[in-house]
Amino acid sequence: MSALTWKEGDTPIVGEFLELRQSCELDRLNAGAAAKGLAGSLHCVTAKSGVRLVAMGRIVGDGGMAAMLVDLMVEPNMRGQGIGREVMERLVAWCREELPRSCSISAIPVPGSYSLYKGAGFEIRGGMAFSLP
Amino acid sequence: MSFFNKLKSKLFKSSSQLEEGLDAIVEEGGALSEPDAPEPPAAPEPPKPEPRPDPAPEPFPAPQDPDPTPRPQEVPDPAPSEVPQGPVPVEIPDDTPPGQPNTGGLLGRVFGRQSAAPVVRRPLDDDMLESLEDLLITADMGVQTAARVTANLAEGRYGRRVSTQEIKEALAEEIARIMEPVARPLPLYAKKPQVVLVVGVNGSGKTTTIGKLASQFNAAGKSVVIAAGDTFRAAAVEQLQVWGDRAGVPVMTAPQGTDPASLAYDAHKKAEEDGADLLMIDTAGRLQNRADLMEELAKIIRVIRKRDETAPHNTVLVLDATTGQNALNQVEIFQKIADVSGLVMTKLDGTARGGVLVALADRFGLPIHAIGVGEQIDDLSPFDPEEFAAALTGLTR
């Protein structure tokens, strides 16, 4: 595995973000929505292989009471190397460092990735969500 | 490899999406303007090749007038009707002079295959404008700038049937119009030494930029002194020394952790004694401790002004294009800390879409002194708005 360049704080460029989403077979997003969303991140962790964005994750929220871990993605051919775990660890470490003690961190993992979230301290609770059409 | 070849190939690689996106947008809901146009991937050789004796373009070709006036009712290239029906080359080989009728060099050759595709036209309506705006955002232009560029693009063209080529031309024209006023090299004054303070966050390519600029000024007959003012990072000092040795430029250093302001003072003294034309001062870029950094920069400026009241004559902010829209935040922050007089954009290769330069120009209007696309000395070059716009949009010239 070639060495990855990790970066904390900088959100990815909209184009590379959308490319990574696409390679992870996630729904297509409107670029304007993505730009707005990325700009509203509390924190972002990215990993690049050379100049290619291969993994990322973000924290969004109000910065005080509630935060959410979103867009945790690893490019399919880079999976199984612990990259997702490292993104997760860096994000959670940032939360512990920067967010107030009582802040609640939520996430909606895709099925199959629960153990990754559990390992980082998440526990299963009931919740609901929907996406605007 | 000349600089523009690099810019083209690198921006081409990264902006091919923009180009493909443009094609896709026009094709979606568009119609062929010729009923019997050839199959889509056709890349015909133009009928009357003008053999160009020298396939290698000059390093800095004079920008040609792209003739951006849209001609919506006119088929731009008569070629498709004379397509050789045999196997058509998808990519024109590098060593054969393709002789595009209006080629402007390698760019024309690289992008030539697009222009010869059958002309699909689509009315410029709200849907298309929205798709265009999205595409520009994807290219890192930022939401506001993308909206403005799209709005300007629509003016006078709304409702007309346009082809990809016309959209590219219009887009390139619009981008070049925004970039034109900011494309200004680092101004040189008669003042000796001219003090250039170089600021930017760590990892933006600040030190490398100083090395390259110093080498280039030195090669142009200017004598330069460098002050390695990032005294906290030993690596930065060493890196500058390597650049200095290579270029034959004296590099003033101080032990790690010492006061960069006193180094700047000494360097100014030396530059004055040596009769140097330029003094370039590297600075620290630890943004996470903004108060310290602000104080440090303020002190450097204060101390330098004791020797020359008009200094620093330029404060150049170095930005890493791969940080995307965060570059805009950095400009804002450094404008507060130091009086930024111009920008250098590095790492305009890889995944950088280049659109952030347009956003910067649109939002701040600060001069862009140079752009960098690689690690070599001549990979840092003056910024040419028309070349840039053409490379970004994939325009055939």
Side-chain angles (χ1 to χ4, degrees):
Chain A
M1 166 182 141
S2 62
L4 296 179
T5 318
W6 290 88
K7 241 183 181 179
E8 300 216 9
D10 284 350
T11 53
I13 290 164
V14 176
E16 51 181 4
F17 171 71
L18 294 179
E19 271 168 30
L20 181 58
R21 271 188 72 93
Q22 202 176 2
S23 75
C24 294
E25 293 176 357
L26 293 166
D27 294 341
R28 281 185 77 106
L29 275 186
N30 170 283
K36 194 166 183 181
L38 288 172
S41 308
L42 287 180
H43 188 61
C44 187
V45 167
T46 57
K48 287 189 174 183
S49 168
V51 291
R52 199 164 44 97
L53 179 72
V54 295
M56 69 168 289
R58 297 193 297 140
I59 304 287
V60 297
D62 59 18
M65 296 182 289
M68 189 161 187
L69 193 156
V70 294
D71 292 332
L72 181 60
M73 296 184 278
V74 181
E75 200 186 78
N77 60 19
M78 300 290 280
R79 289 177 191 166
Q81 304 171 36
I83 298 173
R85 190 164 301 277
E86 170 136 19
V87 175
M88 171 70 90
E89 278 167 8
R90 284 170 181 257
L91 288 173
V92 170
W94 180 86
C95 290
R96 288 188 199 284
E97 190 79 18
E98 300 292 333
L99 297 177
R101 287 181 65 107
S102 56
C103 188
S104 132
I105 322 273
S106 56
I108 303 182
V110 293
S113 61
Y114 281 28
S115 63
L116 173 64
Y117 286 75
K118 280 182 175 164
F122 285 89
E123 55 188 63
I124 296 178
R125 296 199 189 154
M128 289 190 196
F130 81 109
S131 296
L132 295 175
Chain B
M1 198 180 194
S2 79
F3 179 78
F4 279 110
N5 288 359
K6 275 181 190 165
L7 175 63
K8 283 162 202 161
S9 67
K10 293 199 165 157
L11 273 180
F12 171 65
K13 232 186 282 166
S14 56
S15 71
S16 58
Q17 253 207 337
L18 184 58
E19 196 187 1
E20 283 162 19
L22 284 170
D23 287 337
I25 288 172
V26 175
E27 268 161 35
E28 178 196 319
L32 287 181
S33 62
E34 288 177 338
D36 54 352
E39 57 278 329
E45 292 285 329
K48 278 176 279 174
E50 288 172 351
R52 285 179 304 128
D54 181 12
E58 283 174 48
F60 302 101
Q64 289 185 340
D65 183 2
D67 188 16
T69 328
R71 288 153 295 168
Q73 297 312 320
E74 184 187 329
V75 182
D77 194 340
S81 53
E82 295 176 39
V83 171
Q85 289 303 313
V88 272
V90 176
E91 187 121 27
I92 298 162
D94 260 9
D95 45 351
T96 54
Q100 303 282 344
N102 56 350
T103 186
L106 185 77
L107 193 64
R109 186 159 43 175
V110 169
F111 297 122
R113 60 203 166 89
Q114 293 293 338
S115 71
V119 182
V120 181
R121 289 171 186 278
R122 179 185 166 175
L124 187 60
D125 54 12
D126 287 343
D127 271 0
M128 184 172 178
L129 286 172
E130 201 174 308
S131 308
L132 271 174
E133 193 175 325
D134 277 1
L135 193 65
L136 296 179
I137 294 170
T138 312
D140 205 22
M141 210 173 273
V143 179
Q144 290 171 3
T145 305
R148 195 154 24 236
V149 169
T150 320
N152 291 347
L153 200 70
E155 232 179 84
R157 293 186 187 88
Y158 191 85
R160 283 202 218 166
R161 295 176 63 77
V162 289
S163 69
T164 314
Q165 177 69 11
E166 284 156 7
I167 283 291
K168 277 182 202 164
E169 282 171 5
L171 201 54
E173 180 195 3
E174 182 59 29
I175 290 169
R177 195 184 60 76
I178 296 175
M179 304 312 284
E180 196 77 55
V182 301
R184 273 177 280 160
L186 186 72
L188 292 175
Y189 306 113
K191 183 76 194 172
K192 270 188 180 191
Q194 177 178 343
V195 179
V196 181
L197 195 63
V198 184
V199 299
V201 301
N202 284 340
S204 60
K206 195 166 20 126
T207 304
T208 311
T209 299
I210 293 175
K212 287 177 182 175
L213 284 177
S215 305
Q216 291 178 1
F217 281 125
N218 199 38
K222 298 277 173 191
S223 57
V224 186
V225 172
I226 298 175
D230 190 355
T231 54
F232 276 88
R233 280 198 323 136
V237 176
E238 282 166 24
Q239 205 184 337
L240 266 184
Q241 274 172 324
V242 171
W243 277 109
D245 287 349
R246 213 183 290 170
V249 173
V251 178
M252 298 282 288
T253 61
Q256 196 173 351
T258 52
D259 184 6
S262 64
L263 171 68
Y265 187 91
D266 292 343
H268 191 274
K269 204 168 152 197
K270 180 178 166 54
E272 207 169 56
E273 283 166 8
D274 292 1
D277 297 301
L278 276 165
L279 168 62
M280 307 191 77
I281 304 174
D282 192 10
T283 60
R286 296 174 306 277
L287 253 199
Q288 50 273 38
N289 198 340
R290 211 187 290 179
D292 277 6
L293 182 65
M294 210 183 295
E295 204 174 301
E296 190 173 304
L297 286 175
K299 192 174 175 193
I300 292 177
I301 293 169
R302 213 165 50 230
V303 167
I304 280 284
R305 284 196 178 146
K306 281 185 190 163
R307 293 198 54 85
D308 179 356
E309 276 178 15
T310 59
H313 305 97
N314 311 86
T315 302
V316 177
L317 172 60
V318 179
L319 294 166
D320 171 351
T322 63
T323 59
Q325 293 292 299
N326 198 14
L328 298 167
N329 300 335
Q330 288 179 18
V331 174
E332 260 175 7
I333 291 169
F334 275 98
Q335 272 190 321
K336 282 178 198 151
I337 298 179
D339 190 11
V340 176
S341 65
L343 308 175
V344 169
M345 178 66 79
T346 63
K347 305 182 194 176
L348 255 177
D349 46 6
T351 52
R353 300 303 202 271
V356 69
L357 267 172
V358 187
L360 283 166
D362 181 43
R363 179 122 155 239
F364 298 103
L366 283 166
I368 297 170
H369 295 322
I371 57 175
V373 297
E375 283 301 311
Q376 306 304 313
I377 284 189
D378 53 0
D379 288 344
L380 188 75
S381 173
F383 175 71
D384 181 326
E386 285 182 11
E387 287 285 346
F388 172 78
L392 188 66
T393 53
L395 181 66
T396 309
R397 300 180 59 193

